[in-house]
Structures are given as structure tokens and as C-alpha cells.
Amino acid sequence: MGERRPETPAEADGTAGLFVALGKMVKLLRERKGLTQKEFGELVGYGPDAVSSMERGVRTLRPEVLIKADELLDAGGLLKEVLPEVEEAMAKTRTRHPEWYRSYAGLEAEAVSLYDYSTMGVLGLLQTEDYARAVFTQRHPPLDEETIEKRVADRLSRQQLFEKWPPPECSFVLEQAVLERPIGGPAVQAGQLRRLLHIGRMRNVQLQVMPTGRHEHPSLGGSFTLLIPKGKEQVAYMENHGYPRLITDREEVRVLAARYGIIRAQALNPHESLDLIEKMLGER
């Protein structure tokens, strides 16, 4: 049987170079203005980590950020001038994902609701840049550095889902072991936990932790995702050792949806879950 998926993303459209160049321009203008990444981020509505990712071309510089940056950094229209090219590049974003993942990535990007149960690691949609890089660096067989950086950029680009308006309704349940597993080391783990706190406090998100000490468990078969794309029926997605499965059969989706309901009922509620994460960070 032939291999079902390529090892590298399809990125022949050249959009990555555009965002790297724009990131360098924004960094230069910011430094000339005398602003730190934190100060600039507060002005445009992003944290310093996100600003750092944008300036390195790892995260997409969205049109609204470029418009604000043009005015705040006295760019004189330089950043606004490239808006058509940025919007065209963003339209091609989903083609950057590996061939095997594109069908799901397209559905995820237009989701009006998304529910995920994670058992081994943090869902890509929730990962920090450092956590994502650690995940891809630890892959076996190893990936080359260029592929790692492309995979990280592709993963972070999915997180634009949280910037949509109206935002999708999201529910995430993570096994407690996922939070305790220090992928990338203690510093990366702490950054990832803070990211989960940030996402878990969003009004459209319910984040829950499944305690390891539960005596019963409705889903020992692994992780899965349920989502409803705009104007379409609910579908499910799961992946095992790199082999993906997009499920559209109504009965199979119904069974997984019912199972997810039981998982949520047995997990800590959202407030208890955030309290647990804060305790893990030593903030309580």
C-alpha cells in the first residue's frame, strides 16, 4: 500500500515570503518608533508572543493589523499599499496545509461550532508557537528545519479561527495528563498552560479537563473532533499515527457526538478546569 500523505506542506504559492518580508518591515518601523513588542501589541490588540510571530513571518499579519500599524508606526501608507496582496495570500492559506489535511482544514476554517477531545497532546488549534515547534522537532523520523518551520506556520495560521466574527462556539476537553506532560520542557509547558487559560476565558469557549482519577471513562479509543461548517451538517475527524479519517456518515457522527456529551459531563466544569490550570502554574 502506498503512503497516504506527503511529509511536507504544499506551499508552492509563495505566500510565506510575503509575510516574512512584511514582518521585517513592521519590526523595523516598530523599533524606529521606540516601541517594545508588548507596547505595540497592546495598541493593536495582540500579546507580545503574537507580535513576535508576526514579525518573523510565522503568523499571518492580518489586514486590520496592517491598517493600525500603518498609522501607529507612521508608515505613510506603505503597509496599507500591500493590503490587496495580503488578502489574496490569505485566501490561499488553506492550500498551505498538507494534501491529506486540506479537506478538514477547509471545514475547520468555516466552522460555526467545534468540539474537541484530546488525549495525548494539546490540540494544534490551541498550541503556542514553542509547543508546536517542540512537537514537530520531536517527530520520528525527523523533519528537516525548513519543514518544521513551515509546519509551525501552518498550524498557527489555523488559529485565525478565534479572530472571526461572529466567533464559533467551541468546546475543548483535555485529559489531565496532556496538561502534565512537559512537551518542550517546563518553560514551554508553562507558556502552553497560560495559552489555555487565555483561550478558556474567551466568551465563546468552554475548556474542560478530564481528571486522571476518574473511575469510569466513555472514550478510551482516542482523540476526535466534531465540527459544524457554516451551512453544512456536523462532521467528525480523527487521526491515528498520521492516518486521517474525515467522518461524514450521520450515524457515526451521532455516536461520537453522544460520546462527547458524556465526556463533558464527566470532566471538571470550565471554572474548576481553569482553577486546576492556575494551580499547576502556581497562581493559586
Side-chain angles (χ1 to χ4, degrees), residues 6 8 12 43 50 55 111 116 128 185 206 215 219 235 264 276 278:
T8 58
L43 293 172
E55 291 184 347
D116 181 83
T128 64
Q206 289 194 320
H215 292 179
S219 184
V235 299
R264 291 186 70 177
L276 174 62
E278 288 178 345

Side-chain angles (χ1 to χ4, degrees), residues 99 144 282:
E99 309 284 355
D144 60 69

Side-chain angles (χ1 to χ4, degrees), residues 49-60:
D49 290 341
V51 172
S52 174
S53 297
M54 292 176 191
E55 291 184 347
R56 288 179 288 116
V58 175
R59 180 169 179 156
T60 302

Side-chain angles (χ1 to χ4, degrees), residues 7-9 136 143-152:
E7 268 302 317
T8 58
F136 289 124
L143 302 173
D144 60 69
E145 292 301 318
E146 181 181 1
T147 300
I148 290 172
E149 292 307 309
K150 287 180 179 179
R151 291 286 179 88
V152 171

Side-chain angles (χ1 to χ4, degrees), residues 8 12 27 46 68 83 91 93-94 129 131 154 162 182 278:
T8 58
K27 180 180 180 180
Y46 286 87
K68 290 180 181 178
L83 289 178
T93 296
R94 70 183 57 178
E129 180 182 343
Y131 188 100
D154 295 341
F162 294 112
E278 288 178 345

Side-chain angles (χ1 to χ4, degrees), residues 148-255:
I148 290 172
E149 292 307 309
K150 287 180 179 179
R151 291 286 179 88
V152 171
D154 295 341
R155 180 152 291 181
L156 295 182
S157 74
R158 292 168 52 200
Q159 297 176 8
Q160 294 173 19
L161 180 76
F162 294 112
E163 299 164 15
K164 290 171 51 179
W165 190 263
E169 290 296 326
C170 297
S171 167
F172 303 105
V173 181
L174 299 89
E175 286 288 335
Q176 185 175 342
V178 170
L179 306 181
E180 296 171 343
R181 185 170 291 120
I183 298 295
V188 173
Q189 179 191 24
Q192 181 61 66
L193 292 176
R194 293 190 184 95
R195 169 69 174 165
L196 293 175
L197 281 178
H198 171 72
I199 292 175
R201 290 167 178 154
M202 292 180 176
R203 289 184 297 162
N204 62 306
V205 173
Q206 289 194 320
L207 188 146
Q208 297 175 253
V209 176
M210 176 68 81
T212 305
R214 288 287 190 257
H215 292 179
E216 297 180 358
H217 200 298
S219 184
L220 295 176
S223 304
F224 62 90
T225 303
L226 293 159
L227 63 84
I228 301 178
K230 186 175 182 180
K232 299 177 183 177
E233 293 189 1
Q234 188 174 48
V235 299
Y237 175 82
M238 57 181 66
E239 183 182 337
N240 185 28
H241 291 284
Y243 290 90
R245 186 181 177 212
L246 182 63
I247 302 169
T248 58
D249 180 82
R250 289 182 178 179
E251 180 59 18
E252 288 190 69
V253 173
R254 184 196 66 77
V255 169

